[in-house]
Amino acid sequence: MLRLDSVRKTFNPGTANEVRALGGVTLEFASGSFTVVIGTNGSGKSTLQAAISGAFELDAGTVSVDGIAITRWPEYRRAHLIGRVFQDPFAGTAPELTVAENLALASKRGQWRTLTPLLRGAKRGVWRDLLSRIGLGLEDRLDDPIGLLSGGQRQSITLLMATLTNPKVLLLDEHTAALDPRSAELVIRLTTSLVAESASKARCTTIMVTHSMQQAATLGDRLIAMHRGRVYLDVSGAEKKKLTETELLGLFSQMRRDDRFDDEACALVMNQYR
Ligand SMILES: Nc1ncnc2c1ncn2[C@@H]1O[C@H](COP(=O)(O)OP(=O)(O)O)[C@@H](O)[C@H]1O
Ligand SMILES: [Mg+2]
C-alpha cells in the first residue's frame, strides 16, 4: 500500500513566483490498484508523482510504501520500488544505447551496475519474448540504437523497462500525450496489460496521469481529479465505472472556466458528478 499523509509542497516560497503545488494531500492507494489522475494544467498532478518518487524534499507530510516511511529517502534509494514513464518519449531511455543495452540497464534499476556482464547474460531470449508482445517487430531490433525508433515504439519499451523489475509503484505521467492517436492507442493497450500483470505478480500500485478524458473514463478502478494542489474528486468502484467521458469533460471545463473557485464552490460542482 502507498500512503501520502498531509503532503505539502510550495515552490519558490517567499518570492513573487511562489506556487502552492500541493496543499496538504492525503491519499491511500491499495496494493494492486490502478488510479487515473486528471486535473487542470498546473493543478499538481506531476508534483504529486514527484513527491512519491522523491524528486524533492516535502515541506510537510509523509510518504510510505507497505508501512515503510520513505519520506526521507533520496530518489535513487526509491528507484527499485518505483517505475516511471514520462510524457517525453526521449526521457527515460539513453538514445545512443541499443534496445538491448537500455533493457539491460533497466533490469538493474536501483542497483550498482556495469553494462558488459549484463549483456553477456542469457537475457536476450527473455527480452525478445517481451518485445514481441508489443506487436511492432521490436524483437528484431535489439541491437539498434533506441534513438532510431519512433515515439510510440520508445514509449512501449520505456513501459516495459519501468515494469521489468516488478516495482511496488508504477507512475505514468501523460505518457501518451506526445504520441499520434494510433501510437497512443497501442501504448494504452500495452499499459492495460502490463498494469494488470504487475498488479497480479507484484501487487503493484499504478497511478496514471492523463489529459485524455476517454482514457480517464475507460481505464483504472479509481479516478482522482486535482485542482489547485488539492484532491477534489475521488471516486472508485461502481461510482467510477458509471462516469462517462462527457461528464468528465463537463467537470473539466467547469474547473478550467473558473479557476478562482474557492474550495467550497469547487466541492459543490464536483458533487454534481457523483
Ligand atoms: N520545479 C518547479 N519549480 C517551480 N514551480 C514548479 C515546479 N514544478 C512545478 N511547479 C509549479 O507547480 C504547479 C503544479 O505543477 P505540476 O504538478 O507540474 O502541474 P500539472 O502536472 O498538474 O500540470 C504549477 O503551477 C507549476 O508551474
Ligand atoms: Mg504535469
Side-chain angles (χ1 to χ4, degrees), residues 20-31:
R20 188 191 70 177
L22 294 176
V25 171
T26 297
L27 284 167
E28 207 171 84
F29 299 93
S31 298

Side-chain angles (χ1 to χ4, degrees), residues 181-247:
R182 248 193 75 229
S183 306
E185 178 66 39
L186 191 121
V187 170
I188 282 301
R189 247 182 309 175
L190 182 65
T191 303
T192 310
S193 81
L194 286 176
V195 165
E197 200 173 294
S198 305
S200 71
K201 239 181 14 198
R203 308 290 298 142
C204 177
T205 299
T206 298
I207 304 174
M208 177 179 117
V209 174
T210 183
H211 60 293
S212 154
M213 293 308 109
Q214 191 240 337
Q215 290 175 10
T218 54
L219 301 176
D221 43 48
R222 179 179 179 187
L223 180 97
I224 287 176
M226 292 195 66
H227 189 56
R228 300 194 318 173
R230 290 236 161 99
V231 173
Y232 270 104
L233 181 73
D234 183 354
V235 291
S236 44
E239 224 183 341
K240 152 84 172 90
K241 266 207 190 81
K242 77 177 204 305
L243 270 179
T244 64
E245 189 180 341
T246 316
E247 283 171 324

Side-chain angles (χ1 to χ4, degrees), residues 11-12 19 21 40-47:
F11 291 107
N12 309 314
V19 183
T40 44
N41 262 339
S43 57
K45 306 178 298 295
S46 296
T47 307

Side-chain angles (χ1 to χ4, degrees), residues 94-117:
E96 69 284 3
L97 297 184
T98 65
V99 171
E101 288 165 339
N102 271 283
L103 285 164
L105 284 176
S107 69
K108 291 290 166 190
R109 190 175 59 238
Q111 298 172 31
W112 182 82
R113 56 201 188 187
T114 52
L115 207 49
T116 329

Side-chain angles (χ1 to χ4, degrees), residues 123-178:
K123 283 266 183 186
R124 291 174 68 90
V126 178
W127 293 335
R128 284 184 64 90
D129 289 349
L130 276 174
L131 289 168
S132 68
R133 280 178 43 181
I134 301 176
L136 290 174
L138 288 168
E139 60 278 17
D140 297 323
R141 304 197 60 180
L142 273 175
D143 298 314
D144 286 350
I146 211 165
L148 293 181
L149 305 183
S150 73
Q153 291 173 323
R154 287 182 75 153
Q155 282 304 65
S156 303
I157 295 178
T158 309
L159 254 180
L160 273 185
M161 284 165 50
T163 51
L164 209 54
T165 51
N166 298 322
K168 294 305 297 175
V169 179
L170 177 63
L171 303 174
L172 312 173
D173 194 351
E174 305 205 27
H175 68 307
T176 64

